[in-house]
Amino acid sequence: MNGLETRRVSTRILLWIVLIAIVVLYGFPFIYMLLTSLKTPVETIAVPAQVFPSLWTLENYVSALTRDGVLSSFINSVVTAVLSTLISLVLAVPAAYAITRYRTRLGRVFILVALVTRMVPAIVVGAPMIGIFHSLGISDTSLALAIADTTISLPLSIWLMASFFEAVPDELEEAAKIDGASRLGALWRVVIPVTSGGIAVTAIFAFLASWNDFLFALLLTAVRAQTTPIVIANLQTQFGLDWGTMTALAVLYSIPVILLTFVLQRHIVAGLTLGAVKG
Amino acid sequence: MLRNTTGLGRFSRRARVTSAVAVGAAALLALSACGAGGSTASSSSGAKNLTVLVEAGGHGELQPIADAYEKQTGTKVTFVELPYDGLYNRLNSEFSSGSVSFDVAALDAIWLPAFKDALTPLNDMFTDDVKADLFPSLVDGAQIDGTYVGMPAWANSEILYYRTDLFSDPTQQANFKAKYGYDLVPPTTWQQYSDVAAFFTQPDAGLYGTSVKGAVETEWLANLSQAGEKNMVIDSSGKSTLGDQASLDALNFYTSQVPNAPAGAAQVDWAAAQNLFNQGKTAMMLFWAHAYAQIPADAPVTGKVGVAPMIGGSAGIAGVPGPWYLSVAKASPNQQAGLDFLKFAYDNNALSVTSSLGLAARISAFEKYQDDPKYAAFKPLIATLNAPATISRPANAKWQQIVDSVLIPMIQKAVVPGADNQQLLNDAKAQVDAITK
């Protein structure tokens, strides 16, 4: 093995070590949560804590799934996140398209202002929403929560979609127009299919923003639209903390997102690459 | 041409997909307009539904009462549970917005001053008979600026938990007597508590005398009252009393237990202290009375736990009452129904004893169950809450801020070895005065 090959192998080994370290760093909390969810109630609070259960049990999962309100909160989380994602995409795609294609000064101001809304603390937006949704008669509904969650995801969605649209050459649309397509037709039939990877990335970010939202769910839901993050938080009371049930529920709540990420993995990578190579 | 090259079939499939998405979105929208948790719609008459906002877990205390109320009146009570910190934020936001999603709320005693203007006065409910059946500190805490705004729902206080297997061990008893010159019994004074904690501290055996909770403030506040402080942190003129002799004595005693406790006191909170005791790592624990009934059946200490009143300092025993109050929102459209529920909840307060938390507010309710071994914590609780030195936390709208930004950070610094307690108290006094001015 010559010097160049040795250096290449060494670099590769070093990269693998760094990669494994990063995976362990990010993955360990989740693995620990998973292992805790499989411990007996006494072991979950053992001092000092042990990583692996001495007695493996699904008791905490039974407790989590039979708890009042868990199933309905799960349905609410799905409905809210899907709805928020749809609203976010329906608004972000045309907004980002108009900004990138018309390239007006107003468009540049708009996209900057959209980003500024991300700098406003959510509680500032949440408090007035209570009164607004009450007036509209949609208090404690998934629709109200989805609208609120969209305020978190929309600015990021617009920025993401704008970067993906920028990467699509104007010539593609012009070719479509020569073939008789209108601007909207070109957007629908050419640009959107080409940026489907980017849309998948944007959709995942929007979905996650809503799926993990706690503050708006806390402020805007009661019984009908309460989502799972609130139910999980409710396991910590002033007088005690049910670690086993809490971790079991958190694991269950993570599964859809993990599955979604795996299913859309190809699109995510493609989408990120699309944004990255934009020249 | 684009249209031709993509083909008619492809457009038809796209159209079908688009239609399917549209139908799905419409269905989702319809579903989202109600949510999956069932309806909470209240009739404007307020007769058929009541919504009660409670801290997570607190719902259990009120469920037996709600069930009896529905049976008697036909009014369904729906509980909305929120985590403790979130509940305060929710109440604050809703009261600020002027529109509330609930009729009745269970409030921590320390929140009443902050929300008093948004709560319905309850003066008519506090008759002499009612006041006579409540602990003085609970009556005191229900009244803000001369107006009663909360009806006690359940009360709590720290009491002493100790390991009966250790205290009744003849070898331990003999060794203790030989070392300290008096019998090994559940401690009643600071000195006894210190002696017993030091005696049982054997790190090599994995056992400590007690735990020191650096991440919470209530136990130190109890020490403050035990040391003879008549005004907890803030006096009647609104000035802080921190830095005086009683506060220094209390902080010195609190931090003196650090060597008798597991390491990392600054991060120990209620849950950690409870875990340490239930795991058999500490011989004693000062903790809320409800925890007696919550010792896990398979915990190492199950069947080996005794309870006694809170320990005492120079002013005698004292605890910090931890009551929760039921209040009716002024903005509720069902105000009268809410008041009726509060009256019913008071009349049937004893039903709460059989719930998960196992607490009540009325003295008569505690006394009804105090001789049952299952409720052994009630006698020490009654003794602690009735102790003359037991006082409520100050009725100050900024109390929560004082706790979070001044008291807990001060205690966390104090439990670090070498801390200058007098200086910490002086600094804390300046911070509290700046908050309350």
Side-chain angles (χ1 to χ4, degrees), chain B residues 216-230:
Chain B
V216 292
E217 85 296 351
T218 319
E219 191 169 310
W220 179 70
L221 294 174
N223 292 154
L224 204 55
S225 299
Q226 292 157 12
E229 189 70 81
K230 300 295 179 200

Side-chain angles (χ1 to χ4, degrees), chain A residues 47 76 189 218 221 224 238, chain B residues 11 36 38 55 90 281 298:
Chain A
V47 181
N76 286 333
R189 289 168 193 144
L218 176 76
T221 67
R224 290 184 297 170
Q238 198 189 10
Chain B
F11 280 109
E55 189 239 359
R90 172 72 171 261
K281 306 290 181 187
D298 54 349

Side-chain angles (χ1 to χ4, degrees), chain A residues 26-278:
Chain A
Y26 277 82
F28 182 74
F30 184 82
I31 300 294
Y32 188 73
M33 181 174 79
L34 178 65
L35 292 170
T36 302
S37 72
L38 297 167
K39 292 175 184 171
T40 59
V42 166
E43 264 199 300
T44 61
I45 56 169
V47 181
Q50 292 183 340
V51 175
F52 294 99
S54 58
L55 182 67
W56 299 75
T57 175
L58 292 174
E59 190 182 332
N60 295 317
Y61 287 88
V62 174
S63 165
L65 289 171
T66 53
R67 194 178 167 82
D68 276 352
V70 164
L71 190 62
S72 60
S73 77
F74 206 83
I75 294 169
N76 286 333
S77 285
V78 172
V79 171
T80 304
V82 171
L83 197 61
S84 176
T85 304
L86 287 176
I87 296 172
S88 193
L89 288 179
V90 164
L91 295 176
V93 168
Y97 178 79
I99 290 163
T100 53
R101 285 298 180 263
Y102 290 102
R103 297 186 179 90
T104 62
R105 183 175 292 177
L106 196 63
R108 285 196 292 274
V109 171
F110 174 79
I111 201 164
L112 273 176
V113 170
L115 192 66
V116 167
T117 61
R118 291 273 298 175
M119 297 167 192
V120 178
I123 186 80
V124 174
V125 184
M129 280 185 183
I130 295 172
I132 294 169
F133 292 141
H134 188 76
S135 307
L136 293 173
I138 55 171
S139 292
D140 191 22
T141 63
S142 300
L143 175 63
L145 185 56
I147 292 170
D149 287 345
T150 306
T151 65
I152 305 172
S153 60
L154 188 59
L156 186 65
S157 298
I158 293 173
W159 272 82
L160 279 171
M161 285 312 304
S163 72
F164 294 130
F165 284 144
E166 284 280 8
V168 179
D170 288 348
E171 289 78 7
L172 260 182
E173 278 184 81
E174 282 160 17
K177 283 179 197 165
I178 290 168
D179 284 343
S182 64
R183 184 176 273 281
L184 273 179
L187 168 67
W188 182 244
R189 289 168 193 144
V190 176
V191 180
I192 286 180
V194 167
T195 54
S196 60
I199 291 173
V201 172
T202 307
I204 284 180
F205 277 112
F207 186 88
L208 284 177
S210 179
W211 188 255
N212 292 328
D213 166 61
F214 179 80
L215 186 63
F216 285 143
L218 176 76
L219 294 176
L220 302 171
T221 67
V223 175
R224 290 184 297 170
Q226 200 166 65
T227 53
T228 309
I230 302 296
V231 175
I232 293 173
N234 279 346
L235 291 163
Q236 181 180 12
T237 71
Q238 198 189 10
F239 301 116
L241 176 54
D242 187 351
W243 278 113
T245 310
M246 184 183 258
T247 50
L249 200 47
V251 168
L252 291 173
Y253 194 62
S254 307
I255 290 172
V257 177
I258 293 170
L259 289 178
L260 187 72
T261 309
F262 276 125
V263 168
L264 296 177
Q265 190 176 194
R266 191 170 55 85
H267 290 288
I268 294 170
V269 174
L272 290 174
T273 311
L274 182 70
V277 297
K278 179 240 158 194

Side-chain angles (χ1 to χ4, degrees), chain A residues 239, chain B residues 157-159 161 213 270-271 273-274 285-291:
Chain A
F239 301 116
Chain B
S157 169
E158 276 187 272
I159 58 172
Y161 290 75
K213 309 168 192 81
W270 296 117
Q274 190 178 18
M285 167 177 77
L286 296 171
F287 206 85
W288 301 99
H290 74 274

